[in-house]
Amino acid sequence: MDRVCVVTGASRGIGAAVAEAMARKGYLTVFCYDQHQESAEKLVRKLEAEGFRAVAFHCDVGSEEDIIGLISYAENLGALEVVVNNAGISESGMLQDITPAQWHHVFSINARGTALVCREAAKGMIARKSGRIINISSMWGVRGASCESVYSASKAAVIGFTLSLAKELGPSGITVNCIAPGVIDTDMNKGYSHEEMDELIRETPLGRIGLPEDIAHAACFLAEASFVTGQVLTVDGGFTL
Ligand code: NAP
């Protein structure tokens, strides 16, 4: 039976790098996309041309129906062994300027979406008594970020959720861990000016911002580690030290 990996938000950025790394590790990998179908399909075609196995699948993690459809699709491909909850959005601004609708939207994607994907994926994993769940949080969820309170709170929620689920699913042989990336070079950070980027680099002991591949390495480690659960693996070049 095929070993299947699902990565949400795999059309670009961190998710694309994680999904590519998982496909190269031999998982039949489901590249989930929301808006950028062509980008996900292009990555899948590239990997297929190299002999790796991957498929693109639409899933808006804001939709419970989409999530149920995604996990059912993945379970039909084989045994769903690894799930990476990567899809996420950011929202910045002073607390006074953030509307309840914005709070709801960020939490519905970053926190509720992650929880629902875990709920659906855990069903098959519990039955097989094996599985790896990797949730992408953020260093801002650990440390807090000015003018990013809603984003930071949603990412802190992912951490609390991960720790609880690790306890709940441990007896079923399932590990649940978080990665807390630092500043990674993706579209999400394109709002930073050159000066702000330089300042972030200066504050990073390793003297650079991260690449999506840095997070992919960490995800591959957690996918293989059988005795690591309930951990928050910070991958930030030392920024939060
Ligand atoms: P990105 O370049 O903005 O890409 C976001 C990804 O999430 C895209 O693939 C997008 O899919 C998907 N997505 C957005 N809304 C979605 C929805 N409703 N349903 C399903 N997929 C959705 O972001 P990134 O920098 O790679 O970030 C990936 C994750 O890492 C996020 O959870 C983010 O919070 C976290 N993170 C990033 C950084 C960083 O510095 N970049 C740092 C810490 C944590 P489509 O394009 O197909 O719509």
Side-chain angles (χ1 to χ4, degrees):
M1 189 182 271
D2 278 312
R3 303 166 68 210
V4 178
C5 169
V6 161
V7 183
T8 64
S11 54
R12 55 201 169 94
I14 291 170
V18 170
E20 177 165 351
M22 293 296 174
R24 290 184 186 281
K25 288 272 176 201
Y27 294 99
L28 197 179
T29 302
V30 184
F31 282 63
C32 304
Y33 60 87
D34 183 26
Q35 303 291 320
H36 290 88
Q37 175 174 4
E38 180 49 34
S39 168
E41 285 178 347
K42 196 170 158 195
L43 288 164
V44 163
R45 282 196 299 273
K46 182 185 88 166
L47 285 160
E48 280 177 338
E50 292 181 50
F52 299 105
R53 302 190 61 211
V55 286
F57 192 86
H58 177 260
C59 178
D60 170 3
V61 301
S63 157
E64 183 178 16
E65 196 185 344
D66 276 17
I67 289 170
I68 292 169
L70 165 68
I71 299 304
S72 157
Y73 172 78
E75 288 285 10
N76 278 329
L77 294 174
L80 178 54
E81 289 191 5
V82 180
V83 170
V84 183
N85 280 296
N86 164 80
I89 54 170
S90 66
E91 190 72 70
S92 51
M94 299 281 286
L95 177 61
Q96 283 77 5
D97 299 326
I98 301 285
T99 65
Q102 286 172 305
W103 270 93
H104 179 76
H105 187 49
V106 171
F107 268 79
S108 77
I109 305 301
N110 294 358
R112 177 179 179 270
T114 294
L116 290 178
V117 171
C118 289
R119 185 192 74 189
E120 290 308 301
K123 292 174 185 170
M125 290 178 172
I126 290 168
R128 288 185 294 275
K129 285 204 154 286
S130 126
R132 303 269 182 273
I133 295 174
I134 301 162
N135 296 328
I136 306 296
S137 176
S138 167
M139 68 174 177
W140 304 128
V142 178
R143 183 181 161 137
S146 171
C147 294
E148 294 203 61
S149 59
V150 56
Y151 177 72
S152 301
S154 73
K155 290 300 185 176
V158 168
I159 292 173
F161 172 76
T162 299
L163 305 189
S164 304
L165 202 62
K167 288 185 175 176
E168 192 169 315
L169 297 183
S172 298
I174 301 162
T175 68
V176 191
N177 290 288
C178 253
I179 297 174
V183 181
I184 309 296
D185 187 13
T186 70
D187 293 344
M188 193 171 269
N189 290 319
K190 66 184 177 202
Y192 284 121
S193 65
H194 281 305
E195 292 72 32
E196 286 168 329
M197 261 314 174
D198 286 346
E199 181 57 30
L200 288 165
I201 290 169
R202 264 197 301 280
E203 283 181 52
T204 306
L206 286 177
R208 67 172 175 90
I209 62 166
L211 297 172
E213 290 71 23
D214 292 314
I215 307 305
H217 284 139
C220 287
F221 163 71
L222 290 174
E224 283 172 10
S226 61
F227 202 52
V228 178
T229 198
Q231 299 304 303
V232 181
L233 178 53
T234 303
V235 184
D236 67 353
F239 188 95
T240 50
L241 285 175

